[in-house]
Amino acid sequence: MMNELDFVTALRSLPLHPGAQGLRDDCALIEIGDEVLVINMDSMAEDTHWRPSADLADVAWKLVALNLSDIASKGAEPVGVLLGYALGGDEDNRFLAGLADALTEFDVPLLGGDTIATTGASTFSITAIGRATCRPVPSRTNATAGEALFVTGSLGRAMLGFEGDKNHLDAFNRPRPRLAEGIALAPVAGAMMDISDGLLLDAYRMAEASDVTVVIDPQLVPVAASDRLDDCMRWGDDYELLFTASWDAELPVDAVRIGCIEEAGEAPLMLGASSFTDPDALGYQHG
Amino acid sequence: MMNELDFVTALRSLPLHPGAQGLRDDCALIEIGDEVLVINMDSMAEDTHWRPSADLADVAWKLVALNLSDIASKGAEPVGVLLGYALGGDEDNRFLAGLADALTEFDVPLLGGDTIATTGASTFSITAIGRATCRPVPSRTNATAGEALFVTGSLGRAMLGFEGDKNHLDAFNRPRPRLAEGIALAPVAGAMMDISDGLLLDAYRMAEASDVTVVIDPQLVPVAASDRLDDCMRWGDDYELLFTASWDAELPVDAVRIGCIEEAGEAPLMLGASSFTDPDALGYQHG
């Protein structure tokens, strides 16, 4: 059995579309006529991505939201989604209810999909298609030394919701992709990506993709639990936008400057005076 | 637990994109600028769609091929595919080998995808994206009384391959989507679809979608085993094209006339003098 990194590395030796961006971005880009379509697929599997006690309505919502979050990070407006659904559980109606909630709330129509019967753990996927509103399309590869680094919202809310904090349950169960913010930011952002796996890990990825050093000042990072700053910077599932812009950019949405971009130095990521050279040290060990 | 029909019926009550065509077609259409993109997703699950003894290289090939077959039925040229992959088995290398074979053979690049770890039976999906070469895009809804009905190739080859006939193993394990034929036929075809679930069932679906009666003369149907005509007309996995055209159309590819289209009568499908009003009677009970 291969691990994910080995598998993706092997995929890179296959014939790749230029819009696949070397499989180093969450989204593929398809130029068609004067337009650019942005395409993203994410899957969720029982046991791996949700707890058996989870409401499948929340799972459906989250699957839509995390795909649209990638569309948002490209400054794209959603065109529609395709659903890959594995029948087999007792809660298909709950999944449908959550899917309806999400599509309605985010004003995104269903384009199609495929429904199959399976045995064992259920796997669901969403393929989201968006239309870029700004050229060039923001990418995680465009961070440039001299820019400032910004984040929308506050981090750690999903973590608190996961832990049962009633004020933050929705942040974990029903996250909201930053669609309007992504479209507004696209013209002023250098690099942009969504934070799905935690600020530190995703900032590290931006640094590697852009071949720069990202410097974060931990005291500037907006978090939902100030006594747990480190946890909040490592936990994922917040789906805020992380982006670069010039220091004096007039930002069209609320965002906080948390650091800056420097020429590639000794490490891809600096957190205050601490340097990080190993992405494996940046994640959060769930539960 | 819902069955597939109930689930898809429920999906139809969600906000649908116009290009979803009411979820009554295998493909979604997205008009963008002057172009139309054709999108299709299919999933395959262990136990449901392949035998435990199957070579995952063949599974990968088939998953690509059956998606491209839907693209072919729209007269579209492939742009690329996205892969949804569940890590967890011992044969990831075999899957990668078959994927490489198919992408190379059909000259289709990888656009992206998602790789997850799962427990239990594996599920893989491909989302194929094509670019329409002809407007209007052929559809299964366009069959018109007075047209003739045609099929490419010969039917039942996949069945023979499944049963172990060495002359037809490739027809089952490594089917070839009719991409060039689909593009060539698009300008002359009225309705067009691929035959994935058997001639009779798919012809029935064309009839229902077009609100006509499809009349098939069984003696005209080209089959790979003439002593098993009925089996050959019911078995799926052949991925030939079924299409309508005027009786005197000059067809740009080899195809055989197997019947005609009449105004909607007592039944959606007539096979010689036999009428069929229940699609459940048309499939093949595998194994």
Side-chain angles (χ1 to χ4, degrees), chain A residues 72-136:
Chain A
S73 76
K74 299 294 167 194
E77 58 183 23
V79 171
V81 300
L82 292 97
L83 171 68
Y85 192 80
L87 287 166
D90 298 324
E91 294 197 338
D92 297 323
N93 277 316
R94 293 300 302 155
F95 189 94
L96 285 163
L99 182 64
D101 288 348
L103 295 182
T104 303
E105 181 67 23
F106 305 133
D107 194 20
V108 177
L110 186 67
L111 266 166
D114 189 39
T115 304
I116 61 172
T118 57
T119 56
S122 294
T123 303
F124 308 131
S125 75
I126 286 276
T127 302
I129 298 171
R131 185 184 146 275
T133 62
C134 177
R135 307 284 291 270

Side-chain angles (χ1 to χ4, degrees), chain A residues 34-246:
Chain A
D34 293 332
E35 303 268 7
V36 178
L37 286 186
V38 178
I39 304 186
N40 179 64
M41 164 195 282
D42 275 301
S43 305
M44 291 176 69
E46 196 175 351
D47 300 332
T48 306
H49 295 93
W50 70 86
R51 296 175 283 190
S53 62
D55 181 352
L56 275 196
D58 291 335
V59 172
W61 174 292
K62 198 158 181 172
L63 185 55
V64 172
L66 65 90
N67 271 277
L68 293 181
S69 179
D70 282 310
I71 298 295
S73 76
K74 299 294 167 194
E77 58 183 23
V79 171
V81 300
L82 292 97
L83 171 68
Y85 192 80
L87 287 166
D90 298 324
E91 294 197 338
D92 297 323
N93 277 316
R94 293 300 302 155
F95 189 94
L96 285 163
L99 182 64
D101 288 348
L103 295 182
T104 303
E105 181 67 23
F106 305 133
D107 194 20
V108 177
L110 186 67
L111 266 166
D114 189 39
T115 304
I116 61 172
T118 57
T119 56
S122 294
T123 303
F124 308 131
S125 75
I126 286 276
T127 302
I129 298 171
R131 185 184 146 275
T133 62
C134 177
R135 307 284 291 270
V137 178
S139 155
R140 66 174 65 177
T141 66
N142 287 350
T144 309
E147 289 183 308
L149 181 71
F150 299 87
V151 68
T152 61
S154 100
L155 303 176
R157 294 176 60 235
M159 173 187 78
L160 296 176
F162 175 82
E163 293 170 353
D165 183 329
K166 289 189 172 51
N167 294 321
H168 296 286
L169 286 179
D170 266 7
F172 180 74
N173 290 323
R174 301 251 166 164
R176 306 186 66 83
R178 295 287 194 179
L179 287 162
E181 291 84 349
I183 292 172
L185 286 168
V188 298
M192 185 155 66
M193 62 189 296
D194 70 326
I195 302 178
S196 51
D197 294 329
L199 172 65
L200 298 188
L201 183 53
D202 283 324
Y204 188 98
R205 290 169 175 160
M206 179 185 281
E208 286 217 307
S210 297
D211 193 21
V212 296
T213 288
V214 167
V215 181
I216 294 176
D217 180 344
Q219 295 190 310
L220 298 178
V221 177
V223 293
S226 56
D227 55 337
R228 295 176 61 196
L229 173 61
D230 200 59
D231 288 345
C232 291
M233 291 192 297
R234 290 165 183 269
W235 228 84
D237 283 344
D238 278 318
Y239 305 108
E240 297 294 347
L241 294 175
L242 178 69
F243 63 97
T244 64
S246 63

Side-chain angles (χ1 to χ4, degrees), chain B residues 110-150:
Chain B
L110 186 67
L111 265 165
D114 190 39
T115 304
I116 61 173
T118 59
T119 56
S122 295
T123 303
F124 308 131
S125 75
I126 286 277
T127 303
I129 298 170
R131 185 184 146 274
T133 62
C134 178
R135 307 285 292 270
V137 178
S139 155
R140 66 173 64 178
T141 66
N142 286 349
T144 310
E147 287 184 309
L149 182 70
F150 299 88

